Amino acid sequence: MHTYMLMPDVNSTLKRLRSHYKLVIMNEDTFEEVVKFKLTRMSVYVFFSSIFILMIGLTSALIVFTPLKYYLPGTGGSNVKQVREYRALKIRTDSMEQALKFQDNYLKNIQKVLAGKITKLDTNTIDIPKLEKLPE
């Protein structure tokens, strides 16, 4: 038993790509032909492919040659120096935030002490020696 693979006829495909069509744009009220085009499938394919490639080229140029690249992640818009500066600023901001929290806590504790609202008293006793009177 033989199996045959059906191959599309290359000549018929080329004929379909090269066969001519007419595109007519008419005025609906007067049936007057406003514009008429003679087209082939190949010319339509080439036209839309060219438009597609042109759009890709314009988009790429817009990204590469304008500051827009800095807003896209992974495009190399940020260099190593900027990344280092960002990390240094982040570390500095974090340390300033922590210092501010410590300072705020310290001021709150001082306000409590001054207002007499101490929640925990020192329970250690201190032995203060009494001063003896000196003979006159």
Side-chain angles (χ1 to χ4, degrees), residues 99-111:
L100 184 62
K101 285 180 184 177
F102 287 146
Q103 186 179 17
D104 189 39
N105 192 19
Y106 176 75
L107 289 174
K108 284 180 183 177
N109 287 337
I110 287 182
Q111 286 175 349

Side-chain angles (χ1 to χ4, degrees), residues 110-126:
I110 287 182
Q111 286 175 349
K112 284 181 184 179
V113 168
L114 292 175
K117 298 178 182 177
I118 301 172
T119 57
K120 184 176 180 183
L121 297 174
D122 188 10
T123 58
N124 293 332
T125 59
I126 300 174

